[in-house]
Amino acid sequence: MILEQFFGGLDLVLTTNSMAALFIGILIGYFVGAIPGLTSSIALAVIIPFTFHMEPVPAIVLMVSIYMASEYSGAIPAILANAPGTPAAAPTAFDGYPMRLRGEAGKALTLSILSSGFGSLVGTIFLIFTAVWIAKIAIVFGPAEYFSLAVLGLSLVGVLASGIVLKGFIGLLFGLLIATIGLDPISGNTRFNFTSDLMSGVPLLPALIGLFAFSEVFFMLETMHKKPPEMKEAPKITMTFGLFRGMGFNLGRSSVIGYVVGVVPGAGATIAALTSYAEAKRVAKDPETYGTGNPNGIVASECANNAAVAGALAPLLTLGIPGSASTAIMIGGLLIQGIQPGPMLFVENPDFPFAIFASLLVGLPIMMAVGLLGVRLWVKITLIPIGALATGITAICILGAYSNENSMYPVWIMVGFGISGYLMRKAEIHPAPIVLALVLASMMETNFRRVLMGGGGDPMVFLTSPISAGMLIVAALVVTSPLIRKFTDRRRARKTANV
Amino acid sequence: MTMTSNSEGEPQAGLPQDVESKWETGLGLVEVLAGLTFAAVAGYFLIDALNLPSSSYNPYDAGTAAFPNALGYALLFCSLALVVIGIFRMRTGVGDTPVTIIHPLNITGVAAVTVIYALVMPYVTYYGATIVWVPLMLILGGVRGWKWIVFLTISTLLTAYFIFEVLLSVVLP
């Protein structure tokens, strides 16, 4: 059954349009990942306006390939210049850069690209099987479960996305409050529509572009006088038998860690890479060599951050809950195409999720080939002046927001969210919880009120379903866990001080 | 809040020719300002929610105002907690790490130029506004050399025309 559906998806991917989208997406992803500071979220926010006029499958293939390729190429500047292209490639630099200093840049790059490919492959296989399984469970979800799921997803993102939980929750609440502007989803009454344009609410896409892409322009300007990373040497790719000798267990373990962490909403590829690196170091016979150019460090980091990409797609496709900022933006792209992610997607249009799975597998050899053969080009990309890049991104942000409704109103939304996003990040309030809240607010409110109406106004009705009750309990534990940890840490510190 | 100087001790204006100017303050003050801003947002929504209809066709429905009210109070509480944390940081210095904006005038300039660009665009057409906006952005972004600026301006205009007007059929202002 799965195989049959997979071939159905493969048919959709092996068309001229989808393959062109796949190839373009890989090139854009590599371009973005190779430039320190630019991330897949920025690229996706900028690219979504271009998908308006595309068919659904090539559009999602384009988005997925950008997401994946940017994680591949983030390792290139990390290894060659100690400047990770993406935050998730930071642990790669711990050992990649010392290897480059030892004259082993080619070996480090080959290890990183092949490990990325392995992590992707394992992650995709896990995704195919777990997604189908999760979708089967989620098919029985009713309004109570969906409300609890939204609460759980938002709690995880609020806790994991920011350093301080309070700031994560401020972002969440701000996003949820902004999402109440427009029509009440149950009664149809208007709420907070300061202008007639706001009748249908704050448009998601310009808000995404502003929060992730335009706000980044200001951060880029802060680095405009920094010298580009020095990567003068042309690394030579070294493919030798035995490159991965003794690393088999590390490859497998890191991929599994990456996938599992990727599934958790809010965790993402960076936490996956850091967790995997720490675990590889913990179980190693020679932990003291980590950070000094141990190839196992690169393998652990790269396997995990690429497997996490597939992991983040699992809650997106099966539950409609984004696992990362990038997948939150992808939800915006899917909704524009008229596709509602969730378990029903696997029932009503199974070819679509399987087309995504197929594109991940079809794209794998292309990504590895582009990475291995194009290293010299990706190195040169980092030399583009920041001012030119910032101007180009702003121009696309404005055009992209304008083309959303062919009016200036979304441009104002984009500019407003961009400037406020920059200021919020200065206050360490991350945009990811805001975006997730904007995406999930309607699902949360609608289902909350439906359940209450159906249950005669009794809030205990949320606890009558075991799945819903379980998710709410986990959400409560997630929210209270930082406080409990702080309390126990203080107690332990006090005990130690007494001793 | 301080404006720093460069290594020669000359005041920095943040213009592209300057080596590096920065605006610096403590995290505590930033948190107080952020907390007050979010509290004001929450307050605005709460006050506006007073005008929302409370009754619904279903007696068990929480109503149009219920969700915004709950969120508004929660945001107000969290914002005020952030203000308290910020004041604590400012008083004790614990965790009051520096928050820096490098090249503040360039950043303010880019924000201002972009806002004016969006304001002017409907009156002078997209191409009319862009031909001025791109060079300004490039100069504020530290790009030097008029050949580069001319090349990038023309490239931006041609790319916008080809991709948006020709390929995507978007009618630009």
Side-chain angles (χ1 to χ4, degrees):
Chain A
M1 181 71 174
I2 288 181
L3 208 61
E4 197 180 300
Q5 287 173 325
F6 179 78
F7 283 116
L10 192 62
D11 271 348
L12 293 174
V13 173
L14 296 177
T15 60
T16 315
N17 285 350
S18 297
M19 288 305 289
L22 184 70
F23 196 70
I24 292 168
I26 289 170
L27 291 180
I28 295 172
Y30 262 99
F31 178 87
V32 166
I35 298 176
L38 289 189
T39 58
S40 56
S41 323
I42 299 164
L44 287 167
V46 167
I47 210 73
I48 282 182
F50 294 93
T51 64
F52 290 165
H53 305 266
M54 291 171 75
E55 289 166 24
V57 172
I60 188 70
V61 166
L62 178 73
M63 289 189 269
V64 168
S65 52
I66 289 174
Y67 186 24
M68 201 127 206
S70 62
E71 292 302 340
Y72 269 63
S73 63
I76 296 170
I79 290 168
L80 296 179
N82 204 20
T86 55
T92 309
F94 298 164
D95 289 286
Y97 189 63
M99 280 183 79
R100 183 230 143 158
L101 295 178
R102 280 205 310 252
E104 294 178 321
K107 185 183 173 187
L109 282 169
T110 314
L111 275 170
S112 82
I113 293 169
L114 295 179
S115 307
S116 297
F118 187 82
S120 262
L121 179 68
V122 173
T124 307
I125 294 168
F126 271 53
L127 173 66
I128 294 171
F129 289 100
T130 51
V132 173
W133 178 68
I134 297 170
K136 272 184 188 162
I137 294 173
I139 204 91
V140 297
F141 279 16
E145 285 81 8
Y146 271 112
F147 167 76
S148 306
L149 186 65
V151 171
L152 176 60
L154 290 173
S155 311
L156 282 165
V157 172
V159 170
L160 293 173
S162 293
I164 297 176
V165 178
L166 179 70
K167 291 182 181 177
F169 277 94
I170 286 178
L172 277 180
L173 293 165
F174 176 69
L176 288 170
L177 205 52
I178 292 291
T180 61
I181 296 173
L183 289 178
D184 172 2
I186 299 286
S187 68
N189 291 321
T190 54
R191 293 191 294 206
F192 317 114
N193 52 331
F194 320 111
T195 70
S196 57
D197 289 313
L198 286 171
M199 192 72 100
S200 52
V202 173
L204 180 64
L205 188 69
L208 291 177
I209 298 174
L211 281 172
F212 284 98
F214 187 47
S215 69
E216 192 59 40
V217 166
F218 300 114
F219 284 98
M220 289 169 78
L221 289 170
E222 289 197 10
T223 63
M224 69 182 176
H225 281 133
K226 271 190 189 161
K227 274 190 179 176
E230 267 188 48
M231 295 192 280
K232 282 175 191 164
E233 69 179 81
K236 208 174 156 193
I237 294 302
T238 46
M239 297 271 263
T240 54
F241 282 108
L243 189 67
F244 285 96
R245 190 169 293 148
M247 295 182 195
F249 189 64
N250 188 10
L251 280 163
R253 182 191 52 229
S254 304
S255 304
V256 173
I257 290 175
Y259 182 79
V260 173
V261 175
V263 170
V264 179
T270 310
I271 295 178
L274 287 166
T275 310
S276 167
Y277 185 87
E279 186 56 22
K281 190 176 172 181
R282 193 184 66 82
V283 300
K285 287 176 186 161
D286 50 355
E288 69 285 352
T289 60
Y290 277 73
T292 61
N294 187 330
N296 271 301
I298 298 175
V299 171
S301 166
E302 285 304 304
C303 270
N305 66 28
N306 282 277
V309 170
L313 290 171
L316 168 84
L317 293 171
T318 56
L319 305 169
I321 301 273
S324 65
S326 298
T327 47
I329 298 168
M330 281 164 72
I331 275 205
L334 288 172
L335 294 175
I336 286 164
Q337 293 287 342
I339 291 159
Q340 179 69 52
M344 289 311 287
L345 189 64
F346 285 77
V347 178
E348 290 166 356
N349 197 358
D351 284 351
F352 188 80
F354 277 90
I356 295 173
F357 305 153
S359 73
L360 289 170
L361 291 178
V362 171
L364 205 67
I366 303 174
M367 281 192 217
M368 292 193 350
V370 170
L372 291 168
L373 301 175
V375 168
R376 285 165 194 241
L377 174 68
W378 310 124
V379 165
K380 292 235 162 63
I381 277 170
T382 55
L383 302 175
I384 295 173
I386 290 290
L389 213 55
T391 307
I393 290 176
T394 313
I396 298 173
C397 287
I398 290 171
L399 286 166
Y402 177 85
S403 61
N404 187 43
E405 291 177 20
N406 275 8
S407 84
M408 289 304 289
Y409 159 69
V411 175
W412 288 114
I413 297 282
M414 187 279 291
V415 171
F417 271 91
I419 295 172
S420 48
Y422 171 71
L423 295 173
M424 279 193 265
R425 279 171 66 183
K426 284 289 171 188
E428 297 175 357
I429 296 171
H430 200 270
I434 303 174
V435 169
L436 252 76
L438 286 171
V439 169
L440 296 176
S442 174
M443 169 176 159
M444 199 172 158
E445 182 180 7
T446 311
N447 288 307
F448 175 75
R449 286 168 67 183
R450 271 189 197 151
V451 173
L452 276 188
M453 284 192 282
D458 180 12
M460 293 308 284
V461 75
F462 289 102
L463 302 176
T464 53
S465 147
I467 297 174
S468 166
M471 285 192 282
L472 287 176
I473 291 166
V474 174
L477 288 173
V478 166
V479 174
T480 51
S481 63
L483 292 171
I484 295 168
R485 202 182 311 140
K486 216 173 201 178
F487 177 73
T488 49
D489 283 353
R490 267 191 199 164
R491 243 179 104 175
R492 204 174 299 145
R494 218 175 289 154
K495 265 187 188 172
T496 318
N498 288 339
V499 171
Chain B
M1 281 178 241
T2 52
M3 279 287 276
T4 57
S5 302
N6 68 8
S7 52
E8 281 79 38
E10 294 159 352
Q12 294 292 290
L15 294 171
Q17 64 267 28
D18 297 325
V19 177
E20 198 170 87
S21 67
K22 57 184 176 185
W23 179 89
E24 196 172 279
T25 187
L27 181 62
L29 180 63
V30 173
E31 284 176 341
V32 170
L33 293 174
L36 290 174
T37 310
F38 282 112
V41 171
Y44 185 83
F45 273 82
L46 284 171
I47 291 167
D48 211 54
L50 292 173
N51 303 322
L52 293 175
S54 54
S55 60
S56 176
Y57 62 92
N58 187 317
Y60 299 117
D61 181 18
T64 303
F67 216 64
N69 271 332
L71 295 170
Y73 283 116
L75 181 60
L76 189 64
F77 174 78
C78 289
S79 308
L80 295 177
L82 187 63
V83 172
V84 172
I85 289 173
I87 292 170
F88 175 78
R89 278 196 217 281
M90 286 166 73
R91 287 209 169 168
T92 61
V94 177
D96 198 14
T97 50
V99 175
T100 312
I101 293 180
I102 302 166
H103 304 303
L105 289 185
N106 293 62
I107 286 170
T108 315
V110 164
V113 161
T114 306
V115 168
I116 295 167
Y117 172 59
L119 272 174
V120 168
M121 199 193 291
Y123 304 101
V124 298
T125 75
Y126 171 77
Y127 298 99
T130 305
I131 210 159
V132 179
W133 176 77
V134 172
L136 282 173
M137 283 286 288
L138 289 170
I139 291 166
L140 286 165
V143 176
R144 288 286 164 271
W146 66 270
K147 281 181 191 167
W148 260 107
I149 292 174
V150 170
F151 170 72
L152 290 170
T153 307
I154 294 171
S155 306
T156 307
L157 291 169
L158 288 176
T159 311
Y161 171 75
F162 181 71
I163 293 180
F164 283 87
E165 294 225 66
V166 176
L167 286 182
L168 302 178
S169 310
V170 175
V171 183
L172 295 173

